[in-house]
Amino acid sequence: MPALRRFASAAVLSLLACSPARRAPARVYDLVALFPLAEARREVGTIDFGSPEGKEHLGPGWYSNQRDKDGTSFVWSRGEVSVVEFYLAAPRELRAELRCAPLPGGPPQAVSAELNGRRLGSLELAPGMRGYAVDLPRSALRAGTNHLAFRYRSVSEPSRQNGHRRLAVQWDALRFLPAATPEEPRAEKGALVLPFGSEAAYYLDLAGGGELALERIEPIGDAGGSSGGGRLVVTAEVEGGRTAARALEAGSSAHALRLPGSGPRLLRLTLRAVDAAAAASMPGGGLRLAAPTVRAASSALPAPRAAARPRTASPPPNVVVYLVDTLRADRLGCYGSARPTSPAVDAFARGATLFERAIAQSSWTRPSVTSVLTGFGPLAHGVTTLDDRLPDAATTLPEMLRAAGYRTAAFSTNPQVSAGTGLAQGFDDFELIGGNARSDAVNRRVLGWVDAHRAHRGRSPFFLYVHTIDPHAPYEPTAEMLRRFAAGVPARLGSREGLNEIYRARGEE
């Protein structure tokens, strides 16, 4: 049960951090075992605008995904500039084939293209959805993330007819030639497999010196017939410091590369597979990295404690996660607020363990709660957009506790945490409470469930997840709360109607 060990390890490390320290032997990071936590990237041949897969390539300057009456997906540009982000394992000559259309009925439209800040030229758009092409010179491309920006000559003013948006061009698709869509990087027994045109990046917290060790770099698939079989590009970047890079040829063995920096530091280690001609498009080709590890000095480990006396086994504890959506920590007294906003929470915190550096894994609900319930960050669990849901194959905390004999239940007031987003899996009882229900109403349902559980199952353990949404928009406090904390502020300003007026004025509705 690797996922359960992941949760258990976090708790053990937190407890051990309070113990006296002693010198410790070197640590070994197994990059195969850590692959689920790595940031895996690969090249793409086509970006389908309007699709969930295409959305991850859209930087600033785009509206939400849309579909025509015939089901064709597309995206409208937003404002004067739109940016497409795409990954390359190695620079090479490319051509971008575009399919787009100017705003119907608008003035003549021209689009100028910039690649990583370098101007490429301009396209005059004809009416209707048509194809165009832009050459992307190798000299302007780079290994890693590239930015292709489109600047528009004409942008519409927000109006009721265009949904209060600033539109210029409707985008259907972008295709790179020569095309390259390698398979995803993967881990297998004792090795990492990196198809050409892909990479895996690890974030390592090092305390001292370190080195990357590889037993062998083996060409796979069609790579065996290429000149040299390709190469592995290793890049090590110290946060706020130096970057070191080295290329290793396929077919070589027994490598030990010293990692840059010394002392405590955060390091990003990237392993990238590039074919011999730097085309990164060889079908089926790639590299197999045998036994990739990072050996790192460890400054200290907790001193061993005396063995505890045997105790009589006690029943497992109940576990409750009570999440208050959109509540800022610095608005609570226990986190430094001087205003009397949270007397009950402050009283509870005085007799509990208060975590002073708890950081949400995302700026919005769905990926953040997915991290809470899986133990993975957004790049690992893959829930990052409105089109993403947690796959059924994922393992969640309630699933593990249910397997351990717990009864599991959840009460959510946010549709981002629901069966539709995949976050109901593992719960015996799950209730999505609509209508912007306040926490007092939610609490009554929760306590009713607890009473029913005790009546039918006695002291058997339960896991309870409660998601309330009182501080979230729309901002509609009770009259008493408005009087105490926002006297003189018209209640309509934070109402749904008032917020919609603001969104329309900003062209965001």
Side-chain angles (χ1 to χ4, degrees):
M1 301 175 67
L4 183 56
R5 287 197 296 270
R6 182 171 71 251
F7 285 103
S9 298
V12 171
L13 290 174
S14 297
L15 293 174
L16 293 180
C18 301
S19 305
R22 61 181 172 84
R23 298 302 298 176
R27 299 178 63 185
V28 177
Y29 293 94
D30 183 344
L31 301 188
V32 176
L34 291 175
F35 179 73
L37 301 178
E39 179 183 353
R41 296 198 294 177
R42 61 173 177 165
E43 297 187 3
V44 296
T46 300
I47 298 175
D48 182 9
F49 291 101
S51 69
E53 296 77 17
K55 194 173 183 65
E56 66 180 273
H57 300 285
L58 303 187
W62 305 95
Y63 284 104
S64 301
N65 293 348
Q66 289 185 240
R67 288 188 178 274
D68 280 329
K69 294 179 180 179
D70 62 0
T72 302
S73 62
F74 67 92
V75 172
W76 277 107
S77 64
R78 177 176 183 171
E80 286 80 8
V81 184
S82 302
V83 180
V84 173
E85 300 175 351
F86 63 98
Y87 165 80
L88 280 183
R92 60 187 184 277
E93 297 293 329
L94 287 177
R95 168 167 285 202
E97 293 189 342
L98 319 172
R99 184 168 171 80
C100 59
L103 180 67
Q109 183 64 271
V111 179
S112 60
E114 296 177 3
L115 178 58
N116 297 323
R118 175 172 164 182
R119 183 176 172 84
L120 301 180
S122 182
L123 300 171
E124 294 287 338
L125 301 190
M129 187 66 68
R130 298 173 183 267
Y132 304 89
V134 176
D135 290 326
L136 309 181
R138 177 174 180 168
S139 58
L141 290 163
R142 54 186 174 223
T145 301
N146 292 267
H147 297 86
L148 181 59
F150 299 107
R151 296 185 179 274
Y152 309 110
R153 175 196 293 164
S154 303
V155 179
S156 72
E157 291 299 322
S159 67
R160 184 181 298 274
Q161 288 72 26
N162 63 25
H164 301 278
R165 296 177 294 176
R166 304 185 67 233
L167 308 177
V169 172
Q170 179 184 357
W171 290 88
D172 176 52
L174 185 156
R175 183 186 180 197
F176 295 106
L177 293 176
T181 306
E183 294 181 358
E184 294 276 6
R186 65 184 185 275
E188 57 185 37
K189 186 175 181 180
L192 283 181
V193 175
L194 299 177
F196 288 135
S198 72
E199 71 176 27
Y202 296 82
Y203 293 86
L204 304 175
D205 191 1
L206 304 182
E211 68 175 17
L212 169 67
L214 296 166
E215 285 188 3
R216 292 182 308 282
I217 305 173
E218 304 169 346
I220 59 174
D222 293 340
S226 66
S227 175
R231 66 182 187 272
L232 174 70
V233 178
V234 180
T235 305
E237 180 180 1
V238 179
E239 183 180 35
R242 57 178 292 207
T243 298
R246 183 171 173 182
L248 305 174
E249 297 300 320
S252 56
S253 60
H255 293 282
L257 306 181
R258 184 177 179 181
L259 300 176
S262 61
R265 65 200 186 280
L266 182 65
L267 181 137
R268 186 180 193 268
L269 177 66
T270 304
L271 307 175
R272 179 181 300 140
V274 182
D275 75 8
S281 58
M282 184 179 297
L287 303 176
R288 185 179 186 272
L289 313 184
T293 59
V294 169
R295 300 165 186 162
S298 203
S299 59
L301 277 179
R305 292 181 174 179
R309 295 180 179 179
R311 296 186 301 173
T312 303
S314 58
N318 297 322
V319 179
V320 179
V321 174
Y322 197 111
L323 188 149
V324 184
D325 197 308
T326 326
L327 174 60
R328 284 176 50 157
D330 62 0
R331 293 302 185 261
L332 299 174
C334 56
Y335 283 104
S337 175
R339 306 184 75 187
T341 56
S342 53
V345 173
D346 299 342
F348 177 77
R350 284 192 290 271
T353 299
L354 180 70
F355 293 88
E356 297 180 346
R357 297 186 63 189
I359 301 173
Q361 296 301 298
S362 179
S363 61
W364 63 294
T365 301
R366 193 182 303 184
S368 293
V369 175
T370 304
S371 293
V372 170
L373 295 180
T374 65
F376 285 121
L379 291 177
H381 60 60
V383 179
T384 59
T385 74
L386 286 170
D387 299 303
D388 298 327
R389 70 182 304 277
L390 183 66
D392 295 338
T395 301
T396 64
L397 177 59
E399 285 179 306
M400 290 183 286
L401 291 175
R402 185 169 65 181
Y406 278 69
R407 182 74 180 183
T408 59
F411 295 83
S412 171
T413 53
N414 191 329
Q416 299 294 340
V417 182
S418 64
T421 61
L423 296 180
Q425 64 188 64
F427 288 106
D428 298 305
D429 305 304
F430 189 97
E431 184 176 356
L432 178 61
I433 306 171
N436 292 324
R438 296 188 183 278
S439 56
D440 53 353
V442 176
N443 294 343
R444 286 193 293 271
R445 299 199 191 192
V446 171
L447 295 176
W449 183 92
V450 172
D451 290 341
H453 173 82
R454 288 174 174 170
H456 292 89
R457 297 177 178 84
R459 298 188 63 188
S460 63
F462 63 80
F463 169 67
L464 191 57
Y465 174 83
V466 184
H467 190 122
T468 59
I469 202 169
D470 294 36
H472 196 285
Y475 310 111
E476 297 172 333
T478 63
E480 172 62 15
M481 292 296 103
L482 190 64
R483 183 189 64 79
R484 290 176 57 190
F485 299 107
V489 176
R492 184 178 177 281
L493 288 181
S495 67
R496 187 177 300 278
E497 181 183 353
L499 291 174
N500 285 339
E501 290 182 4
I502 295 174
Y503 297 151
R504 285 193 294 269
R506 292 166 54 179
E508 296 180 358
E509 189 178 55

